[in-house]
Amino acid sequence: MSVTAAKGFTAAGVAAGIKDSGGLDLALVVNAGPRRAAAGVFTSNRVKAAPVLWSEQVLKGGQVGAVVLNSGGANACTGPEGFQDTHATAEAAALALEDSAGEIAVASTGLIGTRLPMDRLLPGVAEAAGQLSPHGGEKAAIAIKTTDTVHKTAVHEGDGWTVGGMAKGAGMLAPGLATMLVVLTTDADLEAPVLDRALRESTRTTFDRVDSDGCMSTNDTVLLLASGASQAVPDEAEFTEGVRAVCADLAQQLVRDAEGASKDIRIEVVGAASEEDAVLAGRSVARNNLLKCAVHGEDPNWGRVLSAIGTTDAVFDPDRLNVAINGVWVCKNGAVGEDRDKVDMRYREVAITADLAAGSSSAVIWTNDLTADYVHENSAYSS
């Protein structure tokens, strides 16, 4: 269950001294080939961290031999010096692996606006290279945690091929092509354009529809690497579904580990005129703080769902809107429906269904409740 589940990959996680806690904080994932095809999607935030700018350039070549990831510092908003630090990180990995820096991706996570301690990070890269192992995936997943309470890994077994992956993310989770840091690996023998199509289609309905707190990171990176070590060439649709399954698994783990959350909220918009309308309405509901507080208090306040939908330009008639909470249709035709006392909200997962009664399209957005713990975690220290 890790980023090394697919053949041809090794990984390591070490304590380089980037984090004050002394915990694991630097990960290295290496593709031993024979293929080195790769694809990536990145944050659409106009303020991009140095490692995002670097890795975007690397991915244009369609080949990645290794990925260096660190927690303890985002290397975002650090100017030209920060970009030089990312370049130096790739060069250090290239030296240790006898590879080319131009085919080494870099990803960072942590505090924005602070340069990384390169006197510790660069020796950490060399240390990680010396500890690479097919069994190193778990340590690598632990090393990229920030406010995460658990490390996150997933795997999908295809017909003679495998997709594995790891992710980090607990806060600042809102989509914009990708979200959080994710490395996916496969031993399928596929070229970069196939990987790119599979990754974009998979993130579109998984990571792109996790909207924990409405805050988009500067560092969001999702990478997919193929080693070709299994020599299997799966059907593209079958492979895409395997990638989507791993992305969906990791996305659910991110929701469950969201900062301070006590409820996981599944928002399904049905009866929309288009998928775009369904996503738009669902995201508006997911970002409504009043609703998120109501769910935390186990209050089936359906009026806040309607209010959120009403802020969008999705196609609907207010007098035809319907809302169900945990299967009880508390709102029918834009007014009071079934008795709200029938709604049981004691359990971790809360399901909200919004029917726009305007078409046949649908979409699901995942979010979580707004708690005092979330406020404390994001106000008591820089994160």
Side-chain angles (χ1 to χ4, degrees):
M1 291 291 290
S2 79
V3 74
T4 54
K7 298 174 184 176
F9 291 93
T10 56
V14 301
I18 304 168
K19 287 180 179 175
D20 292 337
S21 66
L24 300 179
D25 53 20
L26 188 141
L28 180 61
V29 179
V30 175
N31 181 358
R35 186 180 286 280
R36 292 156 62 100
V41 290
F42 302 90
T43 182
S44 59
N45 196 322
R46 291 172 61 194
V47 179
K48 299 180 189 293
V52 168
L53 296 172
W54 170 269
S55 296
E56 283 180 329
Q57 292 299 314
V58 169
L59 265 296
K60 287 182 178 179
Q63 291 203 124
V64 170
V67 186
V68 182
L69 309 97
N70 75 270
S71 55
N75 194 9
C77 306
T78 48
E81 296 81 5
F83 190 82
Q84 290 171 8
D85 290 343
T86 295
H87 189 177
T89 300
E91 291 283 3
L95 179 63
L97 300 171
E98 298 182 348
D99 205 334
S100 166
E103 293 187 359
I104 294 177
V106 180
S108 302
T109 180
L111 182 65
I112 294 171
T114 302
R115 288 186 65 187
L116 293 168
M118 300 303 290
D119 59 331
R120 284 168 269 169
L121 188 150
L122 297 182
V125 172
E127 181 184 354
Q131 294 187 20
L132 288 167
S133 164
H135 308 292
E138 184 174 19
K139 281 192 173 181
I142 293 171
I144 60 175
K145 290 168 52 183
T146 50
T147 58
D148 307 64
T149 63
V150 295
H151 60 286
K152 304 165 179 73
T153 63
V155 67
H156 171 83
E157 296 290 348
D159 184 11
W161 52 275
T162 298
V163 177
M166 67 179 186
K168 69 79 50 185
M172 220 178 198
L173 294 181
L177 188 59
T179 186
M180 83 294 297
L181 299 188
V182 180
V183 178
L184 307 170
T185 57
T186 183
D187 48 22
D189 190 8
L190 297 169
E191 297 181 351
V194 178
L195 301 182
D196 186 72
R197 290 192 295 269
L199 183 60
R200 291 181 186 278
E201 176 59 25
S202 297
T203 57
R204 185 181 70 83
T205 58
T206 57
F207 296 134
D208 264 358
R209 296 186 185 177
V210 170
D211 205 324
S212 174
D213 52 19
C215 299
M216 186 194 301
S217 171
T218 54
N219 291 60
D220 300 338
T221 300
V222 180
L223 302 175
L224 172 58
L225 317 181
S227 69
S230 71
Q231 299 184 332
V233 184
D235 171 76
E236 184 171 339
E238 181 183 355
F239 176 72
T240 299
E241 178 54 32
V243 175
R244 191 208 64 79
V246 172
C247 291
D249 189 336
L250 293 172
Q252 287 298 298
Q253 293 182 54
L254 294 167
V255 170
R256 290 195 293 270
D257 195 33
E259 290 173 346
S262 67
K263 303 284 189 184
D264 304 331
I265 309 172
R266 182 183 189 273
I267 301 163
E268 182 175 18
V269 178
V270 300
S274 65
E275 184 179 2
E276 291 75 14
D277 273 9
V279 172
L280 183 65
R283 202 175 309 291
S284 182
V285 174
R287 293 182 175 180
N288 188 288
N289 284 338
L290 289 176
L291 174 67
K292 289 156 75 77
C293 289
V295 172
H296 178 60
E298 300 181 353
D299 173 14
N301 195 328
W302 56 267
R304 293 177 179 177
V305 178
L306 264 62
S307 177
I309 293 172
T311 66
T312 74
D313 59 5
V315 176
F316 67 87
D317 179 343
D319 293 330
R320 297 186 64 197
L321 293 175
N322 305 294
V323 176
I325 300 177
N326 284 351
V328 179
W329 289 95
V330 287
C331 170
K332 292 183 178 180
N333 295 319
V336 176
E338 296 181 64
D339 185 355
R340 53 181 282 157
D341 289 340
K342 294 180 180 179
V343 181
D344 186 352
M345 300 178 69
R346 293 174 294 171
Y347 301 102
R348 175 85 188 198
E349 186 171 315
V350 174
I352 297 174
T353 304
D355 178 10
L356 303 189
S360 59
S361 297
S362 64
V364 174
I365 304 290
W366 283 89
T367 190
N368 48 269
D369 57 342
L370 183 57
T371 69
D373 287 341
Y374 175 84
V375 175
H376 173 74
E377 189 158 345
N378 287 282
S379 61
Y381 62 92
S382 295
S383 62

